[in-house]
Amino acid sequence: MKPFAYERPHDAAGAVATVTADPDAAFLAGGTNLVDHLKLGLAAPSTLVDVTGLTSTEITDLPEGGLRIGAGVRNADFAADERVRARYPALAHALLAGASGQLRNMATTGGNLLQRTRCVYFQDLTTPCNKREPGSGCSALDGWARHHAVLGATHEPADVACVATHPSDMAVALVALEAQVRVLGRDGERAIPLTDLHRLPGDDPTRDTTLAHGELITAVDLPASPIAAHSTYRKVRDRASYAFALVSVAAALAVDDGGTITDARVALGGVAHVPWRATAAESALVGAPATDDTYRAAARAELVDARPVESPRGGTAFKLPLVTATLAAALRGLAENSAQEAR
Amino acid sequence: MKLDLTLTVDGHHHSLTVDTRTTVLDALREHLDITSPKKGCDHGQCGACTVLLDGRRTLSCLSLAVAHDGAEITTADGLAPDGELHPLQQAFVDHDAYQCGYCTPGQICSAVGMLDEAAHGAPSVVTDDLTGDVRLDRAEIAERLSGNLCRCGAYAHIVDAVEQVAR
Amino acid sequence: MTTASRPFVPHAVGTAMPRPEGPQKVRGTARYTVETPGSDALYLFPVQAGVARGRVTAIDTSAAEALEGVVAVLTHENAPRLAREADADHGVLQSSTIHQHGQYLAAVLATSSESAREAASLVSVEVVEEPHAAVLDEDSPDLYTPEALVVGVTDDTRGDPEAALAASAVTLRRTYRTPMEHHQPLEPHATVACWEDGRLVVHDATQAVSWTRQALAAAFGLDESDVDVVAQHVGGGFGSKGGTHPNTMLTALAAQAVPGRSVRYALTRQQMFDLVGYRPATVQHVALGADREGRLTAITHDVVDQGSKIGEFVEPAAAFSRGMYAAETRRTTHRVVPLDIGVPTFMRAPGEAPGSFAGECAMDELAIELGIDPIELRLRNEPEVDPESGLPYSSRNLVACLRRGAERFGWADRDPAPRARLVDGWWHGTGVGSASFPVPRFPGSEATIRATGTGDTAGYTVEIAASDIGQGARAALTAIAADALDVGVERIDLRIGDTAFGPAGPAGGSAGTTSWGATIVEAADRFRDKYGDHPEDGDEADAHTPDNPWAGEYSMHAFGAHFVEVAVHADTGEIRVPRMLGVFAAGRIVNPLTARSQFLGGMTWGLSAALHEESVLDDRFGHVVNRDFAGYHVATNADVGTLDVEWLDEDDPYVNPMGTKGIGEIGIVGVAAAIANAAYHATGVRVRSLPITLDAFL
């Protein structure tokens, strides 16, 4: 680990100014991913600018009925908030499905969104990785790619290929619930849809997000959404707990008395470089009967352009049926709940 | 770069000068010779380093010491002031909820923190009704303690011990 | 029956006793190796090879040496020479040749851990890479036949099994695969070493202080009496801390460069995947021939193991099939494919764990083929004598374990049809697997008993260089010593974990309590012969491990049976094990409290191996790429359902004076097979390779 300076500015604007001025400076919040990366040699900042206490640690009601989550809110507090549990159950579930009790006490809302891929080759300095070392190649393409992408990845050319996935559970639920992110930069604060925060690897896999260096997430806004109360998060992983998703589904569903789906929100985790908003699946669901056939057709619609990693050392082809199965399980559960409430 | 800071550990005040790179875990173990929290993975993947930091269960291996100036830390040793074991520690002894003992201080700090979280109504991912009351059955205890790995495989006895105290 | 001059009467033995060190462990004040006090100890951090094979052509340490706090940087160019031609594994920093990815190429000594680690990253190494081999390929031209297994011959054949298979009414031929696995005790391997006046003093996280002393003395050309090795508390071992690995050698070597100063080195979790051994992957071909009534006519079990070019350890997986069931003909073989990777080693139930996966799955498949209940099939093939040695068993209660387990588990109600029980979206099924583990005795331990005080209140100091790696040696040996001396446990002051107490066998092979206990009983007998039961202060007697006079007369094994329930999600294929029962016949149980932990721990390990564990060796690079606890999954608390354990009373007068058989490993044997068999029963899908993950059921 290289030495670094440590600073704790007086306010968020000061933190932004400090980091913006130094291309090698980095923000420190909960530290659960950054300190990990310092030890692995993946990050070597000149200065760590501690933003703990500089962004809000409160969850406040928005005028139109939504919630504003301070970027400093710890994952555990976020999940335990009674408004979140009642109005956005998918989000509470997603938060609780992530990491461990200790990590949820540490990790912040902002930091969770900005965590980097858990690709084993990205974390291993002895292997090629275009995300870590541009142009060196993607070791996962022909490697152990169990946790890798099926959607939106870059398979070629070799010098920019990247099939990494975003590891957050929380972000998948937030994407499904159409959250906005508030970002503070040198020129003031702006709000962007969460779907515009993360980016596909394209021809530059080194960049995970659209943020400029020095921009700081200050809050996440959750819009009011009646359908969100009928939402769920289904995470499929290789252990019963404390493991990253192979595939996850955040979904919300509205079904009318006749059993027809009137509204739907779906996002997928573990399948792409971003938390994946499944708009094709949503379109396929709305207006269709709430049946297993519909759910599977919706998954097929979303996976039309899917391209699994076909690796001799363990690829992601299994994720195609797994996405379908997980989506069906999640939506079936929601529809059953919905039917029970209607009764 | 080195910085001065103070930590209160198990009720004792310490002033120390540490490298900015020093984690809370290394500050405790290497600077203060407080070796109750263990280094199992150093990457937040095993829970052996768990302490109560300002009252909450926290992984000391992923916490930079300089970011916790003035913090109050309780280790498993601090749960037994003057040598009298905390009820949870006694339950671990009585149920043989360990073998090699290396993950044990982290398990105990984690369980103490977890019981406090549950007492405040925090749900877990296996809680059926997110808005209802929390009842700590075996599945709940196991899920909430899954951030603490035990390679000897003492989980069944750990749940026995925690269940006894949770009642 | 025993060499002891008086019968061993259990009082403390058989009574639950909390671990004497328990209060220290729950407070975290029990000190493990790297926590050995000594604030001026230097921190060691290594530089490791990033290629699997090649040569170091240049190494520049100047930037590292210039860093504040750095005391020394050792490389193959300036490191002290080892006294003899050490093998490639132990010969750290002795040449420029790279034999494996992760090999130590340099070591930094510094006054802080941060400086040591940073300096290591500043060492610049130029390497010429050479082609390497890292694929377990059964058709490899390098495949060879090892000379022998650790215990027993490489191959054995009885009769003409191929002819018997050809003539059998039913023949089953299957191939099973088990992956490379790593021990990963929660306490990383660690060493603190110091040279003082030509003597080497080492604290080491080891299962065998004597073995570490032997290895160090040999490598450094010292008399064993000039090496002290101490291991008071060891945070799990499971085999990886049995042998001595390059990390201990490196620390001792580095300490030689700074005489009088201690050097400490604890491996990172990532380094734990490189240099301290692993269970090698296996490919196992099993064939069973049987008549229509299910009587076996032939068993063949042919194993190909992953191996290393720089050292040999053969996973004796086929040995499981030599003694489990009666068959007129048999063939078991072992072959090894040597690769440019680190040296494998013993891992909890070496041989039996992977071998029982193949053997006990094959029995289940045969039972289904024959339409016979899998328990009944096992009962029909129960041997009267050990099929391997022809010796009678000192005691064999597999049948009792199967029957008792079936009763307790509710096996009688089982519908054998697969994929027939769907409950709340999960397919449920049940399965069974048998377990067996030998009762070895390690020779060469020494115990000393000394009276402190006089008469009826005399205390007894009992010294033996045993290791407590969590199995509960402190409690067990205290109880054995108390009974052997016919006094209460409060009068025993047991001292272990230090070569100052003489040589001792390892905490391993499920033989620690047996070997050390028999030695303590022998010493106690001598003590009482000499001084009676009213000794004077300072009276002392010692003893070496006695031979077992029955060793050539009887075959000695513990047995067990595992029953599990598996649930597989009908949509996603997620697999869970809500219920497990293990029933064991393992001789006299010394400490019911800690014994239960060992059985549960073994079953949990078996579950973990069945569902989670796989070291992914990326052959392109030659190293394990899922090299931490996020990538290499071991079972979490939430993966474990309801565990139930029962042991049968077993009075075996032949194994040792205490009647114990060893219980550290049998809890694992057969678990993975029982889970695979239950998964088949649940879903109709037969999985023949571990770990069993959800993709198999999609």
Side-chain angles (χ1 to χ4, degrees):
Chain A
M1 205 190 296
K2 289 214 176 79
F4 50 80
Y6 171 84
E7 289 183 27
R8 190 187 274 266
H10 292 295
D11 56 22
V16 168
T18 305
V19 173
T20 305
D22 178 352
D24 295 323
F27 295 117
L28 171 71
T32 55
N33 198 201
L34 181 55
V35 176
D36 177 32
H37 283 188
L38 294 173
K39 294 179 187 191
L40 289 171
L42 289 174
S46 58
T47 302
L48 282 188
V49 177
D50 193 342
V51 296
T52 304
L54 306 187
T55 58
S56 170
T57 56
E58 306 277 303
I59 299 176
T60 51
D61 288 292
L62 289 172
E64 290 81 28
L67 291 177
R68 172 162 297 171
I69 321 300
V73 172
R74 307 285 167 170
N75 285 182
D77 299 329
F78 193 175
D81 186 276
E82 288 181 8
R83 293 161 294 182
V84 173
R85 285 148 68 180
R87 282 145 63 179
Y88 306 95
L91 185 52
H93 264 139
L95 284 156
L96 295 169
S100 68
Q102 293 95 310
L103 285 162
R104 294 193 292 272
N105 278 339
M106 302 167 71
T108 63
T109 309
N112 184 310
L113 289 173
L114 297 179
Q115 61 183 313
R116 307 201 69 189
T117 185
R118 260 58 183 193
C119 173
V120 295
Y121 301 103
F122 172 64
Q123 297 181 334
D124 183 343
L125 300 185
T126 71
T127 61
C129 168
N130 287 326
K131 183 181 278 295
R132 173 167 37 79
E133 206 177 313
S136 61
C138 173
S139 296
L141 260 186
D142 292 315
W144 185 59
R146 186 166 179 78
H147 288 83
H148 291 70
V150 294
L151 288 164
T154 302
H155 290 250
E156 60 267 323
D159 62 343
V160 294
C162 180
V163 293
T165 50
H166 194 265
S168 170
D169 294 297
M170 179 193 81
V172 179
L174 286 175
V175 160
L177 299 172
E178 303 182 306
Q180 294 229 322
V181 180
R182 300 184 69 80
V183 176
L184 182 67
R186 218 170 20 176
D187 303 325
E189 199 167 33
R190 66 191 175 107
I192 54 172
L194 181 54
T195 43
D196 291 346
L197 175 69
H198 299 100
R199 59 183 294 283
L200 293 173
D203 60 5
D204 183 5
T206 63
R207 291 176 58 219
D208 296 349
T209 72
T210 57
L211 296 184
H213 177 72
E215 283 193 306
L216 178 68
I217 295 175
T218 56
V220 172
D221 286 353
L222 276 170
S225 167
I227 193 177
H230 300 278
S231 66
T232 191
Y233 186 73
R234 181 70 163 88
K235 179 176 183 178
V236 177
R237 42 184 160 176
D238 272 333
R239 281 198 296 216
S241 187
Y242 204 16
F244 292 101
L246 294 168
V247 162
S248 68
V249 170
L253 206 62
V255 183
D256 69 15
D257 293 345
T260 300
I261 297 167
T262 57
D263 199 2
R265 303 279 186 284
V266 180
L268 304 175
V271 296
H273 199 256
V274 301
W276 185 270
R277 177 77 183 265
T279 49
E282 290 173 1
S283 300
L285 290 168
V286 176
T291 64
D292 259 38
D293 285 347
T294 297
Y295 310 146
R296 290 174 188 277
R300 279 196 298 276
E302 194 61 47
L303 294 172
V304 163
D305 295 323
R307 181 176 175 189
V309 182
E310 303 280 2
S311 166
R313 297 172 183 85
T316 57
F318 75 98
K319 287 193 176 182
L320 301 182
L322 186 57
V323 165
T324 305
T326 310
L327 187 63
L331 294 176
R332 193 188 309 127
L334 280 174
E336 282 167 7
N337 282 347
S338 191
Q340 273 170 13
E341 280 182 31
R343 269 185 233 120
Chain B
M1 182 179 173
K2 295 201 171 192
L3 290 174
D4 297 329
L5 63 123
T6 63
L7 295 173
T8 303
V9 186
D10 298 334
H12 301 285
H13 296 279
H14 299 275
S15 297
L16 59 167
T17 304
V18 299
D19 193 296
T20 51
R21 296 170 289 185
T22 304
T23 59
V24 170
L25 179 63
D26 288 344
L28 294 172
R29 288 170 63 86
E30 297 176 0
H31 291 255
L32 301 176
D33 197 32
I34 295 168
T35 58
S36 177
K38 303 301 181 196
K39 185 178 283 191
C41 73
D42 214 21
H43 285 270
Q45 299 163 351
C46 79
C49 68
T50 303
V51 297
L52 298 168
L53 196 149
D54 295 331
R56 303 178 74 162
R57 53 175 172 159
T58 299
L59 299 178
S60 59
C61 78
L62 291 181
S63 305
L64 292 177
V66 291
H68 294 279
D69 186 12
E72 291 223 12
I73 294 168
T74 303
T75 72
D77 194 22
L79 292 171
D82 310 320
E84 189 175 334
L85 297 185
H86 183 281
L88 197 61
Q89 291 173 317
Q90 190 60 50
F92 266 60
V93 172
D94 294 343
H95 288 274
D96 204 49
Y98 50 22
Q99 287 199 45
C100 81
Y102 197 78
C103 74
T104 309
Q107 298 274 3
I108 284 169
C109 286
S110 183
V112 168
M114 178 277 279
L115 290 172
D116 185 56
E117 292 161 13
H120 285 85
S124 86
V125 76
V126 299
T127 308
D128 284 336
D129 180 1
L130 277 181
T131 55
D133 290 339
V134 170
R135 202 179 65 80
L136 282 183
D137 59 17
R138 292 184 70 88
E140 282 277 6
I141 292 169
E143 160 57 27
R144 290 164 189 257
L145 291 182
S146 277
N148 292 82
L149 301 181
C150 169
R151 190 56 163 152
C152 298
Y155 297 129
H157 280 171
I158 289 169
V159 175
D160 288 344
V162 175
E163 198 177 27
Q164 180 196 304
V165 174
R167 270 193 222 115
Chain C
M1 291 284 186
T2 71
T3 54
S5 54
R6 49 179 68 77
F8 182 88
V9 183
H11 297 292
V13 166
T15 305
M17 179 200 231
R19 297 165 197 268
E21 75 281 16
Q24 290 172 275
K25 282 186 171 173
V26 296
R27 293 172 59 185
T29 55
R31 293 247 173 189
Y32 298 79
T33 292
V34 80
E35 301 162 352
T36 302
S39 57
D40 69 335
L42 296 171
Y43 292 87
L44 185 155
F45 201 88
V47 178
Q48 296 179 271
V51 303
R53 194 162 162 263
R55 210 160 31 81
V56 176
T57 53
I59 190 157
D60 181 355
T61 59
S62 53
E65 282 164 354
L67 200 71
E68 191 190 333
V70 172
V71 173
V73 183
L74 279 81
T75 71
H76 69 279
E77 293 172 350
N78 67 350
R81 297 296 91 186
L82 290 170
R84 66 174 173 104
E85 194 68 26
D87 67 22
D89 194 34
H90 282 181
V92 290
L93 306 188
Q94 299 298 297
S95 89
S96 60
T97 308
I98 297 172
H99 303 281
Q100 71 159 107
H101 199 287
Q103 179 180 323
Y104 294 134
L105 302 184
V108 174
L109 299 182
T111 52
S112 77
S113 58
E114 293 87 6
S115 299
R117 192 160 184 170
E118 182 189 358
S121 73
L122 298 175
V123 173
S124 155
V125 186
E126 281 178 37
V127 166
V128 174
E129 190 173 357
E130 291 162 14
H132 67 266
V135 180
L136 172 54
D137 174 7
E138 288 183 85
D139 300 323
S140 165
D142 297 332
L143 181 119
Y144 74 97
T145 305
E147 277 190 22
L149 308 178
V150 175
V151 177
V153 296
T154 305
D155 299 348
D156 86 331
T157 304
R158 173 181 173 179
D160 186 346
E162 287 302 333
L165 284 168
S168 293
V170 178
T171 305
L172 183 98
R173 291 182 187 273
R174 296 287 186 268
T175 299
Y176 302 89
R177 289 182 168 79
T178 61
M180 183 189 218
E181 298 169 348
H182 277 77
H183 312 70
Q184 300 302 333
L186 253 286
E187 181 209 13
H189 286 226
T191 306
V192 180
C194 184
W195 290 78
E196 286 171 88
D197 306 325
R199 285 180 58 77
L200 176 58
V201 180
V202 171
H203 292 255
D204 194 44
T206 176
Q207 295 169 232
V209 287
S210 290
W211 288 9
T212 302
R213 176 165 72 169
Q214 267 174 25
L216 287 168
F220 289 92
L222 299 170
D223 284 341
E224 284 194 31
S225 59
D226 287 331
V227 182
D228 297 334
V229 179
V230 180
Q232 280 306 315
H233 297 284
V234 181
F238 318 114
S240 68
K241 291 176 183 165
T244 307
H245 300 291
N247 58 299
T248 301
M249 294 294 165
L250 181 70
T251 313
L253 188 75
Q256 206 172 16
V258 287
R261 284 193 87 167
S262 289
V263 171
R264 63 180 143 194
Y265 173 38
L267 274 68
T268 65
R269 185 54 60 184
Q270 288 80 3
Q271 290 164 2
M272 292 283 290
F273 287 89
D274 294 329
L275 293 156
V276 294
Y278 56 90
R279 192 199 300 280
T282 70
V283 181
Q284 304 181 51
H285 303 286
V286 176
L288 300 177
D291 65 20
R292 282 279 158 212
E293 282 69 50
R295 272 176 291 272
L296 290 170
T297 53
I299 300 173
T300 66
H301 194 157
D302 300 300
V303 176
V304 178
D305 279 342
Q306 185 181 42
S308 166
K309 287 184 186 167
I310 56 170
E312 183 179 277
F313 170 81
V314 185
E315 183 80 20
F320 177 81
S321 290
R322 291 176 182 166
M324 205 62 205
Y325 301 110
E328 293 148 23
T329 67
R330 175 180 74 240
R331 182 186 68 239
T332 57
T333 67
H334 296 87
R335 300 291 178 269
V336 175
V337 180
L339 303 172
D340 296 300
I341 58 177
V343 186
T345 193
F346 308 91
M347 180 159 147
R348 210 167 180 185
E352 282 82 5
S356 65
F357 172 64
E360 291 298 299
C361 282
M363 285 296 277
D364 197 67
E365 295 203 58
L366 180 65
I368 291 162
E369 188 92 12
L370 289 163
I372 296 175
D373 178 83
I375 293 177
E376 178 60 29
L377 179 66
R378 287 165 172 86
L379 299 183
R380 288 183 191 177
N381 290 287
E382 175 69 5
E384 289 179 6
V385 297
D386 180 356
E388 180 177 16
S389 63
L391 296 174
Y393 285 99
S394 62
S395 53
R396 173 174 167 126
N397 284 304
L398 174 61
V399 169
C401 290
L402 286 164
R403 290 206 164 118
R404 174 61 189 144
E407 183 186 23
R408 187 158 174 154
F409 193 76
W411 189 264
D413 305 331
R414 183 180 189 260
D415 167 10
R419 206 175 184 85
R421 291 149 301 277
L422 187 62
V423 183
D424 294 336
W426 294 78
W427 294 109
H428 283 253
T430 52
V432 66
S434 301
S436 167
F437 200 86
V439 185
R441 181 185 302 191
F442 287 109
S445 290
E446 195 176 300
T448 305
I449 296 178
R450 193 167 46 249
T452 52
T454 304
D456 290 347
T457 58
Y460 296 88
T461 300
V462 179
E463 295 174 340
I464 187 162
S467 299
D468 197 331
I469 60 171
Q471 82 278 36
R474 283 187 175 81
L477 298 183
T478 297
I480 289 170
D483 286 351
L485 289 163
D486 195 24
V487 299
V489 291
E490 71 286 348
R491 289 169 67 184
I492 304 296
D493 174 16
L494 179 79
R495 298 179 185 181
I496 62 170
D498 193 327
T499 51
F501 304 142
S510 294
T513 303
T514 287
S515 310
W516 305 320
T519 313
I520 288 171
V521 171
E522 182 81 5
D525 270 322
R526 291 190 183 188
F527 187 97
R528 294 172 74 185
D529 287 348
K530 235 165 140 178
Y531 308 113
D533 291 342
H534 302 278
E536 299 294 319
D537 187 51
D539 285 349
E540 182 177 308
D542 57 19
H544 292 271
T545 310
D547 289 336
N548 185 348
W550 303 108
E553 309 287 322
Y554 291 95
S555 173
M556 303 177 192
H557 291 259
F559 290 90
H562 293 280
F563 295 78
V564 304
E565 179 175 348
V566 158
V568 177
H569 195 276
D571 289 307
T572 63
E574 293 155 290
I575 176 166
R576 302 279 187 266
V577 182
R579 189 160 67 106
M580 297 174 77
L581 164 66
V583 180
F584 303 97
R588 179 175 282 141
I589 297 305
V590 176
N591 184 352
L593 183 63
T594 56
R596 193 165 192 279
S597 292
Q598 279 189 282
F599 288 129
L600 290 175
M603 291 161 65
T604 302
W605 188 290
L607 165 81
S608 186
L611 301 188
H612 303 304
E613 295 186 35
E614 178 178 17
S615 306
V616 179
L617 178 72
D618 191 320
D619 56 281
R620 297 169 299 169
F621 310 114
H623 73 294
V624 173
V625 292
N626 56 337
R627 46 197 295 105
D628 59 21
F629 276 138
Y632 185 88
H633 281 179
V634 301
T636 67
N637 204 322
D639 290 293
V640 176
T642 303
L643 298 191
D644 190 11
V645 173
E646 180 175 329
W647 53 84
L648 308 180
D649 284 333
E650 196 174 62
D651 182 12
D652 188 325
Y654 303 110
V655 283
N656 53 51
M658 303 84 66
T660 60
K661 283 187 171 178
I663 56 173
E665 291 161 281
I666 192 161
I668 302 160
V669 184
V671 172
I675 289 173
N677 296 341
Y680 171 81
H681 187 228
T683 64
V685 176
R686 174 62 64 176
V687 182
R688 299 189 185 89
S689 67
L690 297 180
I692 304 167
T693 55
L694 58 87
D695 13 342
F697 307 104
L698 286 169

